[in-house]
Amino acid sequence: MSRRVVVLGSVNTDLVLRCSQMPLPGQTVHGRDFQTLPGGKGANQAVAAARLGASVSFIGCVGDDAFGHNARRILAAEGMDTQHLHSISGASTGVAMILVDDAAQNCIVLDAGANAALSIAQVDAAKATIQDAGLLICQLECPLPAVQHGIALAHAAGVPVLLNPAPTQALPPELLAQVDVLVPNETEAAALLQLAPGAAFDATAAADRLRTLGPPTVIITLGAHGVQLACDGSNVHLEAPVVQAVDTTGAGDTFIGAYAAAWCGGASMTAAIAYAQQAAAISVTRAGAQAAMPRSSELPLKVSGRP
Ligand code: ADP
């Protein structure tokens, strides 16, 4: 029987504008192809899981503004429970203003907006939802005390916790001790291990070292190279399907949402990773983040029950 995926995380609106050249301070340049796209790591991961058939509850905050109303409508349209998605009056919904030039370089200004308002009390109000989950997923785009409270509630109830440590920040050892599955990408893994910038990255060694910080399972995502999985004394590299990538935005979010959908649907960890790698591989062949996330009918693998 499927268990519910609970996502505690961010909701953003990405405002994307293309230009031939980046404007210098004080300069005005012509732009084109303006797009307003739903984003935020929390919302992205929740959409990926819901689209693959998982029952998903979302805990987070949007502003009481047009972007917030739209984000709520989008999450609800994916079939999600948004009972714990709060509208914060006087706050704006989180936004990322993204300029992309013709050399595909980008400049991004992020305003966490209402995401910064997620409180311990709001997370506490979702206690029953967290305690009933098959998996709690968190990232680090919401205030750390709120994230930490959600993780503590899940841990105390025996609900497994998946943490995507993005964007990277120093984490208290007691938080990492309550995480069951840590899923960083290569950059986040290097930052958590305080590796020198530019130092060679050894995924096997990094996964082992991350386990010593507390999480019994570490999955380092390695882009087109797949993942490194360390758990139960084993440390293995699992290849990604070979595809022609056109846009890798949101690959990690698709991987995490799909992993959660499969795991909560009863798949073993390695089966859930294979499923997640297929979903992420499909997503990179299409443009956008949420727009590129697949439905289960598109995946050759199906979720099968855990032994
Ligand atoms: P993030 O988006 O967080 O940087 P990654 O780039 O590591 O995360 O990608 C997450 C997962 O998405 C990878 O582990 C892999 O399964 C899949 N993926 C990413 N890029 C590709 C690619 N070019 N081809 C196939 N799969 C990919």
Side-chain angles (χ1 to χ4, degrees):
M1 196 192 79
S2 274
R3 302 288 310 277
R4 185 166 280 274
V5 176
V6 177
V7 180
L8 187 163
S10 56
V11 181
N12 284 336
T13 303
D14 294 345
L15 307 175
V16 186
L17 188 53
R18 292 178 188 276
C19 51
S20 300
Q21 273 193 314
M22 288 293 172
L24 297 169
Q27 193 185 15
T28 301
V29 298
H30 287 286
R32 60 178 194 278
D33 303 332
F34 178 66
Q35 286 180 296
T36 304
L37 301 171
K41 288 180 187 299
N44 285 351
Q45 293 170 15
V47 166
R51 212 168 274 176
L52 290 168
S55 303
V56 181
S57 293
F58 193 85
I59 305 168
C61 292
V62 291
D64 187 13
D65 56 11
F67 288 153
H69 299 158
N70 196 42
R72 178 182 295 282
R73 190 186 53 72
I74 289 170
L75 297 185
E78 296 285 351
M80 248 174 255
D81 158 33
T82 56
Q83 192 191 339
H84 296 286
L85 176 62
H86 301 272
S87 291
I88 309 295
S89 69
S92 55
T93 297
V95 288
M97 302 198 70
I98 305 171
L99 295 180
V100 185
D101 71 13
D102 285 348
Q105 307 233 66
N106 60 35
C107 280
I108 303 176
V109 184
L110 249 181
D111 177 3
N115 292 307
L118 185 68
S119 67
I120 288 177
Q122 286 163 338
V123 174
D124 207 56
K127 189 174 181 173
T129 302
I130 293 172
Q131 288 172 333
D132 191 43
L135 183 71
L136 174 72
I137 303 181
C138 302
Q139 322 77 29
L140 301 173
E141 287 186 334
C142 291
L144 197 57
V147 172
Q148 204 163 358
H149 189 58
I151 289 175
L153 287 176
H155 184 71
V159 172
V161 174
L162 184 157
L163 177 68
N164 171 218
T168 320
Q169 58 173 284
L171 292 171
E174 59 274 22
L175 183 152
L176 282 168
Q178 296 183 332
V179 170
D180 297 279
V181 186
L182 184 70
V183 189
N185 64 16
E186 192 174 318
T187 313
E188 292 145 7
L192 276 176
L193 294 171
Q194 299 177 306
L195 301 181
F201 185 81
D202 175 344
T204 310
D208 269 340
R209 282 186 59 202
L210 286 170
R211 282 188 79 216
T212 66
L213 301 180
T217 299
V218 172
I219 304 170
I220 304 177
T221 64
L222 303 165
H225 301 295
V227 305
Q228 189 73 32
L229 164 68
C231 67
D232 290 337
S234 84
N235 192 336
V236 290
H237 178 243
L238 303 167
E239 294 285 345
V242 177
V243 293
Q244 194 67 45
V246 298
D247 179 1
T248 59
T249 316
D253 293 336
T254 305
F255 177 90
I256 289 169
Y259 174 89
W263 167 258
C264 286
S268 68
M269 185 172 294
T270 45
I273 290 174
Y275 188 78
Q277 294 224 77
Q278 282 198 350
I282 291 174
S283 79
V284 303
T285 64
R286 313 199 278 226
Q290 291 183 18
M293 291 170 178
R295 299 192 177 281
S296 51
S297 55
E298 298 177 75
L299 268 71
L301 277 178
K302 302 293 165 215
V303 173
S304 58
R306 265 198 295 276

